[in-house]
Amino acid sequence: MLVNSKEMLIRARNKGYAVCQFNINNLEWTRFILEECELNKAPVMLGVSSGAAKYMGGYSTVYSMVNVLIKDLNITIPVVLHLDHGSDFETCKKAIDAGFTSVMIDASKYDLEKNIEITKTVTDYANKFNVTVEAEIGHIGGDEDGITGNILYAEVDDCVTLTKETNIDSLAPALGSVHGIYKGEPKLEYTRMLEIKNNTDLPLVLHGASGIPEYDIKKAISCGVAKININTDLQIAWSKKVREFLNNDNEVYDPRKIIKSGEVEFKKTVYEKLLLTGSINQFNTPNI
Ligand code: 13P
């Protein structure tokens, strides 16, 4: 069942686990994620960047694909279809109009005032359709679908102001994580994370969760993180197995066999993240 993220993330925050957002790139990955999360009765968020949506044909294609996969696979867990890093109002509107149940507006490249102004246009629109909104503050480093940059740590006061002035449902404060592969050890700002949690009362989102050690993920959850975003770890797990498969068989040309060769490792990675975040058997009541 497709739901928005409101109750899913509040429940996770209150119960001390985190929901996984897995980024999807195609039909097969979507099926792998849905099947593994259903098997483990774990609520899940499917993250779709603008680039991934374009790659798959567009927001309506993605919505239709996810919607019918849920039916054909008899998926009973709550599933959120979430726009990852929407860069402006128009992008978020396209996803909402296509049927996405949640969007992220990433206006983090602007100053606080402009970030608030853009975020508010998105919440005003999203609220009319029962769509939840995640915002970013500070700047998460690394490279995500062409959005690059260095880490700019979020300030507690700015998080409070953004929360008060907009109607967001979750907040992604930049606190040391980066998208993609880490060069060196990630250093997350836990004291500030806890302060932001206590002062905003919003479920927090940890972007760039691939490659973050287990201890840090658990610590982040204890400091208010209710959602972690995973993309790179899935890409690495899947492509490693597909590469091995192709290297071992010069004759294979059936795309189903090639794509499927990464399924077991991909699902194992999904399972490990569900286990790590404590989201197994956290099936909750759908909210829409
Ligand atoms: P990783 O690619 O580091 O897993 O980050 C994913 C992410 O944060 C998507 O928004």
Side-chain angles (χ1 to χ4, degrees):
M1 150 107 51
L2 269 183
V3 299
N4 70 28
S5 70
K6 192 159 189 91
E7 285 174 31
M8 190 186 277
L9 295 186
I10 288 175
R11 185 180 192 274
R13 200 257 330 262
N14 291 349
K15 287 191 163 263
Y17 64 93
V19 172
C20 293
Q21 173 192 306
F22 296 113
N23 283 60
I24 58 171
N25 290 288
N26 54 29
L27 182 140
E28 289 85 351
W29 283 33
T30 312
R31 176 172 69 74
F32 300 163
I33 294 164
L34 289 175
E35 285 177 347
E36 192 59 26
C37 291
E38 177 69 23
L39 189 68
N40 289 288
K41 292 282 171 269
V44 70
M45 293 184 63
L46 300 175
V48 183
S49 65
S50 304
K54 194 167 167 208
Y55 172 80
M56 288 184 267
Y59 296 102
S60 298
T61 307
V62 176
Y63 168 76
S64 304
M65 175 184 78
V66 169
N67 205 27
V68 291
L69 270 179
I70 287 173
K71 287 197 181 81
D72 278 350
L73 300 173
N74 294 318
I75 300 297
T76 60
I77 48 159
V79 177
V80 174
L81 180 57
H82 177 77
L83 172 70
D84 194 24
H85 293 283
S87 55
D88 50 34
F89 171 75
E90 277 310 315
T91 306
C92 294
K93 182 177 181 300
K94 270 189 205 151
I96 294 168
D97 292 351
F100 279 49
T101 54
S102 179
V103 293
M104 173 188 189
I105 170 68
D106 179 357
S108 64
K109 65 178 178 211
Y110 300 107
D111 63 20
L112 180 65
E113 202 182 333
K114 184 104 178 137
N115 189 344
I116 289 172
E117 185 191 316
I118 296 171
T119 301
K120 204 166 152 18
T121 59
V122 175
T123 50
D124 283 351
Y125 189 74
N127 286 345
K128 293 187 202 147
F129 301 94
N130 201 19
V131 169
T132 38
V133 179
E134 173 185 323
E136 176 169 330
I137 193 154
H139 190 73
I140 294 155
D143 182 355
E144 182 74 4
D145 240 9
I147 301 174
T148 53
N150 296 325
I151 306 172
L152 177 66
Y153 282 78
E155 300 293 339
V156 180
D157 288 350
D158 292 352
C159 292
V160 173
T161 311
L162 180 86
T163 306
K164 275 195 187 137
E165 306 233 345
T166 64
N167 198 19
I168 53 171
D169 302 279
S170 58
L171 181 64
L175 291 170
S177 61
V178 299
H179 294 115
I181 294 171
Y182 283 85
K183 298 181 186 91
E185 285 284 296
K187 288 194 180 55
L188 301 184
E189 265 282 351
Y190 295 114
T191 315
R192 214 184 290 194
M193 199 180 280
L194 200 55
E195 252 183 273
I196 295 169
K197 176 207 167 195
N198 290 337
N199 285 284
T200 63
D201 201 30
L202 282 178
L204 303 183
V205 179
L206 180 65
H207 279 248
S210 292
I212 295 186
E214 291 193 12
Y215 164 84
D216 289 275
I217 297 282
K218 288 198 163 134
K219 177 115 182 141
I221 293 172
S222 75
C223 292
V225 163
K227 170 182 176 245
I228 69 163
N229 289 7
I230 304 284
N231 189 16
T232 305
D233 277 349
L234 294 179
Q235 296 180 336
I236 292 173
W238 179 81
S239 55
K240 182 168 166 261
K241 285 294 162 185
V242 173
R243 195 172 291 115
E244 270 172 33
F245 181 74
L246 288 171
N247 284 341
N248 286 333
D249 189 342
N250 283 329
E251 309 286 315
V252 65
Y253 55 84
D254 182 340
R256 288 173 298 183
K257 289 188 182 154
I258 297 169
I259 296 173
K260 203 176 161 43
S261 66
E263 178 172 348
V264 171
E265 195 65 19
F266 186 101
K267 284 183 167 173
K268 187 168 157 268
T269 308
V270 169
Y271 175 73
E272 285 165 0
K273 301 298 177 189
L274 298 179
L275 197 63
L276 173 64
T277 52
S279 59
I280 291 177
N281 286 329
Q282 296 291 358
F283 180 114
N284 60 346
T285 321
N287 62 345
I288 57 170

